């Protein structure tokens, strides 16, 4: 592994799910304040949203006072679908009706059977109506229509978590950045992605604007789909055919005909697997998939594919950011929570941790330098968007504290020991090699 150098092509890789995006925000803030040069922003999962914002000089919208991870809207990310929440309250009401017959007996014994039966039937009818309305509204609000087999209630129970709030928040923030001075209402469909790709392509090379690579998983194609907006000659290499795979089926050039799918890939990254309904992506009629509508979502192990694409795009230096803590030593077991969202979050975090270790081992063969920024301890899981109780400190931690700890981790793990040490190394070399090395050291210090 070679020492860090800002002269090399550098990528910042953000990987994680859900609430782990708050950790990305803290690291991005530290790197921006320290002036660390980043050439390519890359994202997987919720990191796709942060990477998209940072690529157009909008990373501050992640940590500002009214930013994504400080707003009250964050608490609505990945909660139960509204129809299931309403059904739960109606079920409690039904239990109350069934468990309090004495109330009806006090009114009158003769009227009790009729009143009891009518109340129970009313609550059951309302419960079924709420579930049916939830399924119908979810189908109608989908960005595209797709026929599905199975009983209608499985549209709710098969994927009980709602990713719409996260997708809506990032779409709103992106549109505020790319719409310009005109207060134009945010359009629906691919218009947001098209406008975003146009803004990034027109300003690529300007201060604050960076190349972008994001990855999602296509459930129907049974493989990953990668979207990238790269400068030449890397753009040509990205879309070029490869002998071992059908490149047209998986590579989306966001600077070309694929610019309509820019936000579709971001939305797919914001959609965790299994617990949420996949995002529907409709390909163009003249594309490889001939107008088909595919289900796309995130995949925790996709960081390895992201690093593979970055190596092919000429990146020689990678900084990986993950909110998943390092594996604990023996006798550090915690008490598991039995709630479904936490169980799913634990699986996603474990899958990301295992995939990240394998990806880093392979990345050391592809890159000159690989750096990892991650917490030593993080009690907040992927779906703990309102914070979580920490057994180690016996208190509750929120996402603002996660951002602050990420900010400290970035300085302690990368900026001070790596970036700072590289400047000191060049400064020492300048005393041995003359004025040219001294000018190089001054250049590093300014960066």
């Amino acid at each position: 592994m070679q020492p860090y150098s800002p002269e090399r092509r550098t990528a910042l890789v953000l990987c994680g799910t859900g609430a782990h995006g708050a950790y990305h925000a803290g690291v991005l803030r530290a790197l921006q304040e320290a002036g660390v040069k980043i050439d390519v922003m890359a994202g997987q999962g919720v990191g796709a949203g942060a990477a998209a914002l940072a690529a157009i000089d909008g990373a501050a919208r992640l940590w500002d006072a009214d930013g994504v991870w400080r707003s009250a809207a964050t608490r609505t990310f990945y909660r139960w679908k509204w129809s299931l929440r309403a059904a739960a309250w109606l079920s409690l009401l039904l239990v109350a009706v069934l468990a309090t017959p004495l109330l009806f007996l006090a009114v009158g014994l003769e009227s009790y059977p009729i009143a009891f039966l009518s109340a129970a039937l009313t609550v059951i009818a309302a419960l079924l109506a709420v579930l049916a309305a939830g399924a119908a509204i979810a189908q109608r609000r989908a960005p595209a229509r797709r026929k599905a087999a199975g009983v209608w209630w499985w549209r709710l129970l098969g994927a009980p978590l709602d990713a719409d709030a996260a997708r809506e928040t990032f779409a709103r923030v992106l549109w505020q950045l790319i719409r310009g001075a005109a207060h134009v209402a945010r359009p629906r469909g691919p218009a947001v992605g098209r406008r975003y790709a146009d803004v990034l392509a027109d300003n690529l090379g300007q201060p604050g604007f960076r190349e972008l690579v994001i990855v999602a998983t296509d459930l129907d194609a049974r493989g990953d789909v990668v979207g990238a907006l790269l400068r030449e000659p890397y753009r040509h290499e990205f879309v070029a055919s490869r002998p071992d795979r059908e490149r047209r089926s998986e590579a989306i050039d966001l600077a070309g005909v694929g610019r309509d799918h820019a936000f579709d890939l971001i939305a797919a990254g914001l959609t965790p697997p299994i617990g949420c309904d996949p995002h529907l992506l409709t390909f163009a009629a003249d594309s490889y998939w001939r107008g088909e509508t595919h289900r796309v979502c995130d995949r925790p192990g996709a960081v390895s594919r992201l690093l593979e694409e970055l190596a092919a795009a000429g990146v020689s230096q990678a900084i990986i950011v993950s909110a998943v803590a390092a594996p604990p030593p023996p006798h550090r077991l915690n008490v598991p929570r039995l709630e479904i969202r936490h169980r799913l979050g634990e699986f996603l975090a474990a899958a990301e941790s295992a995939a990240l270790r394998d990806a880093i081992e392979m990345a050391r063969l592809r890159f000159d330098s690989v750096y990892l920024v991650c917490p030593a301890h993080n009690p907040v899981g992927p779906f703990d968007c309102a914070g979580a109780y920490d057994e180690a400190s016996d208190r509750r931690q929120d996402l603002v504290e996660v951002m602050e700890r990420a900010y400290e981790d970035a300085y302690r793990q990368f900026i001070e020991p790596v970036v700072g040490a590289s400047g000191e190394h060049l400064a020492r070399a300048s005393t041995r090699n003359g004025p040219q090395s001294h000018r190089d050291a001054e250049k590093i210090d300014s960066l």
Side-chain angles (χ1 to χ4, degrees), residues 347-397:
F347 166 75
L348 294 177
E352 179 184 336
S353 178
L356 190 59
R357 288 196 296 270
D358 295 340
I360 290 177
E361 290 300 321
M362 293 301 298
R364 296 185 189 279
L365 304 176
R366 293 191 174 109
F367 299 95
D368 293 336
S369 304
V370 179
Y371 306 97
L372 174 64
V373 179
C374 70
H377 172 68
N378 183 14
V380 177
F383 300 120
D384 294 328
C385 295
Y389 170 75
D390 181 22
E391 297 176 356
S393 59
D394 192 22
R395 62 185 180 86
R396 189 172 186 81
Q397 293 189 17

Side-chain angles (χ1 to χ4, degrees), residues 266-279:
I266 297 171
L270 295 171
T271 306
I274 304 175
C276 300
D277 288 320
H279 180 73

Side-chain angles (χ1 to χ4, degrees), residues 6-7 37 426 437-447:
E7 298 297 324
K37 184 182 75 70
L426 289 178
S437 296
H438 182 69
R439 286 194 296 270
D440 291 343
E442 290 179 345
K443 184 177 181 181
I444 296 298
D445 291 337
S446 66
L447 293 173

Side-chain angles (χ1 to χ4, degrees), residues 139 146-151 155:
Q139 174 69 5
R146 170 118 183 227
K147 185 178 180 180
V151 187
R155 291 188 179 275

